[in-house]
Amino acid sequence: MAGTSGTRGAAVALTIGLLLLAGTALADDPCLKLVFDRYCLGGDVSPLLQTVPAPTVYRNVADSLALMFPDGDNQLYVLAFAKRIYKVVRAYGVSTQLRFDDTYRLLREKYGPGEDQSQFPEYAETPAARLASIRRGDGRAVHQWQPSPAWRIELSWTRELGISLNYIATELNRARDARIESGL
């Protein structure tokens, strides 16, 4: 029986050691949010360069990298700075008021009311006038949620991308913006 308790003690010690190692690995994991069950916001972008299917667009400029993946009728953009994913964007192939309202409703149900950061010209007081201003490029609908200090979500409707859902790593995005502003 003494040998059994010694084996059991060794097994417990080994288990505790493995849990401590796993906890250390999880603490070092830079994944702030798993986006669309595939993209690790804040994580290393390198594994995405070897995915199948490969990104349809690959653009590398200085410390910034942009990858585009097809997503049914939509497009997924994965943007990285200093080899870390700072933004994941789903640009919807069809931009309608119904799509925007449905997505907005789902986000409000999950994250609360959020913050309206929309910008419209003074003449755009009705929903139809706002939609027309978006299509002309004079206006933009933007709603933002910050479920964590480390990341935020933006739902936007602009002329350039149509309706898009953006997951943004706060600090990485700030560092990238600072690098761009400094001209480096």
Side-chain angles (χ1 to χ4, degrees):
M1 292 286 181
T4 306
S5 66
T7 305
R8 205 175 287 149
V12 169
L14 178 62
T15 303
I16 291 172
L18 289 174
L19 288 173
L20 288 174
L21 285 174
T24 303
L26 289 174
D28 293 340
D29 183 8
C31 192
L32 305 172
K33 167 82 174 149
L34 188 61
V35 178
F36 306 127
D37 296 323
R38 182 173 179 193
Y39 306 102
C40 182
L41 191 63
D44 186 3
V45 73
S46 301
L48 293 179
L49 301 174
Q50 300 158 2
T51 59
V52 175
T56 56
V57 173
Y58 174 97
R59 186 171 301 151
N60 191 358
V61 178
D63 280 348
S64 295
L65 177 68
L67 306 173
M68 186 174 78
F69 297 92
D71 180 39
D73 293 336
N74 310 317
Q75 294 293 330
L76 283 170
Y77 299 92
V78 178
L79 307 174
F81 173 70
K83 298 183 182 178
R84 307 307 273 169
I85 298 172
Y86 77 89
K87 191 177 208 180
V88 178
V89 178
R90 173 177 279 154
Y92 291 95
V94 177
S95 293
T96 64
Q97 189 69 50
L98 182 60
R99 162 77 68 184
F100 186 84
D101 291 345
D102 283 349
T103 307
Y104 181 51
R105 179 184 50 77
L106 290 170
L107 289 166
R108 276 194 330 252
E109 286 173 4
K110 186 167 184 170
Y111 298 109
E115 182 180 333
D116 186 351
Q117 297 182 336
S118 301
Q119 298 174 345
F120 293 104
E122 288 182 25
Y123 69 82
E125 294 180 7
T126 66
R130 289 181 175 184
L131 180 56
S133 74
I134 290 169
R135 290 192 172 141
R136 277 193 301 279
D138 298 336
R140 58 191 301 119
V142 180
H143 295 275
Q144 185 178 100
W145 293 263
Q146 184 124 17
S148 160
W151 59 277
R152 70 178 184 273
I153 301 169
E154 290 180 358
L155 173 64
S156 64
W157 192 351
T158 64
R159 180 179 182 170
E160 298 80 22
L161 274 182
I163 296 173
S164 65
L165 182 57
N166 310 279
Y167 289 80
I168 303 162
T170 308
E171 286 303 315
L172 281 170
N173 190 57
R174 191 174 294 135
R176 181 186 168 274
D177 288 349
R179 172 75 58 91
I180 290 170
E181 287 178 19
S182 70
L184 295 177

